[in-house]
Amino acid sequence: MATPHITADVGEIAPLVLMPGDPRRAERIAKDILDDPKLVSEVRGIGAWTGTYNGTPMSVMASGMGIPSVCIYATELYRFYGVKRIIRVGTCGAMSPNVRVRDVIVATAAHTNSSLPHLFVPDASLSLAPSFSLLHGAGHAAKAVKDVPVHFGPIYSSDHFYLVKPATTEGLIKLGTLGVEMEATGLYATAMAEGGEALAILTASDHLFDPSQDMTAAERETSYQAMVEIAANTLLF
């Protein structure tokens, strides 16, 4: 069975999925960590690869950029492909002074300026959080990473890459927000709606207040080893 956005047959996508935003990064991750990765879908250039990780079936599939895009793919994976767990592995802009570029952030909550939460429950502001079991697993998996700092805390999912206002940023930092990205809110809300598990684990690729730390585009594609190691082992926890 295919969906409008995924051509894989049921069974060709594993119940455990790593989901970067960038299709090129998805391919690179799949070939780096999976044994015998097989391309099972490539609609609109959004690739999905399935293989095994430490003997367990696992898939890597891109989400594209932004909340609407990740909602499409996550919904179809949970609803039609029997996926149980999705971990977003992507980049974010660090905003906390305690986070440096190349550090890893495990998103314990996702604040947002998106209207998405109100689409699920009108007149209510949903608290968007990951599944406890994945968050607990990430705590254990992070202990094995010695050379990269790992931070646990809330992040901010913005609907507009270039429209994060200074007053908003200042308020978020005061509340302990670690970084800003564009997808975690969509993944967390979709997991809640579909009865799946979700978590976002991010690598800080730039810093809002210290551009001298920023990664190049090429570095963003490859500087993910610690993040992916934590995420893949968390899926197995």
Side-chain angles (χ1 to χ4, degrees), residues 175-199:
L175 296 176
T177 308
L178 301 179
V180 56
E181 51 84 82
M182 300 185 70
E183 289 82 26
T185 284
L187 179 59
Y188 287 5
T190 301
M192 290 177 179
E194 297 295 327
E197 293 186 69
L199 180 63

Side-chain angles (χ1 to χ4, degrees), residues 35-84:
D35 292 324
D36 194 25
K38 176 186 176 184
L39 180 66
V40 296
S41 181
E42 199 177 17
V43 179
R44 302 188 183 192
I46 297 293
W49 286 262
T50 298
T52 59
Y53 178 77
N54 289 347
T56 299
M58 188 176 293
S59 295
V60 181
M61 181 174 183
S63 70
M65 286 197 293
I67 289 169
S69 186
V70 74
C71 286
I72 288 172
Y73 294 107
T75 296
E76 293 183 7
L77 290 174
Y78 287 129
R79 187 178 298 180
F80 302 113
Y81 285 92
V83 168
K84 304 300 182 185

Side-chain angles (χ1 to χ4, degrees), residues 86-158:
I86 300 175
I87 295 183
R88 164 164 158 67
V89 283
T91 56
C92 70
M95 64 171 66
S96 168
N98 299 319
V99 178
R100 294 186 58 81
V101 169
R102 293 181 175 80
D103 287 2
V104 172
I105 295 172
V106 180
T108 60
H111 307 312
T112 190
N113 59 0
S114 171
S115 62
L116 179 69
H118 301 287
L119 299 179
F120 287 102
V121 184
D123 301 319
S125 181
L126 297 181
S127 298
L128 298 173
S131 68
F132 174 77
S133 57
L134 286 180
L135 189 59
H136 181 58
H140 284 271
K143 294 177 182 178
V145 175
K146 304 300 183 183
D147 55 342
V148 177
V150 181
H151 309 267
F152 287 73
I155 54 90
Y156 178 59
S157 295
S158 176

Side-chain angles (χ1 to χ4, degrees), residues 131-229:
S131 68
F132 174 77
S133 57
L134 286 180
L135 189 59
H136 181 58
H140 284 271
K143 294 177 182 178
V145 175
K146 304 300 183 183
D147 55 342
V148 177
V150 181
H151 309 267
F152 287 73
I155 54 90
Y156 178 59
S157 295
S158 176
D159 257 349
H160 197 305
F161 184 85
Y162 292 104
L163 198 62
V164 180
K165 299 179 180 179
T168 301
T169 304
E170 181 181 347
L172 288 166
I173 292 170
K174 287 181 179 179
L175 296 176
T177 308
L178 301 179
V180 56
E181 51 84 82
M182 300 185 70
E183 289 82 26
T185 284
L187 179 59
Y188 287 5
T190 301
M192 290 177 179
E194 297 295 327
E197 293 186 69
L199 180 63
I201 302 178
L202 310 165
T203 297
S205 60
D206 57 277
H207 201 291
L208 271 62
F209 304 106
D210 187 1
S212 67
Q213 298 185 42
D214 294 0
M215 291 185 192
T216 65
E219 287 173 329
R220 284 196 296 272
E221 282 189 29
T222 58
S223 298
Y224 55 71
Q225 182 175 349
M227 168 183 68
V228 171
E229 177 184 334

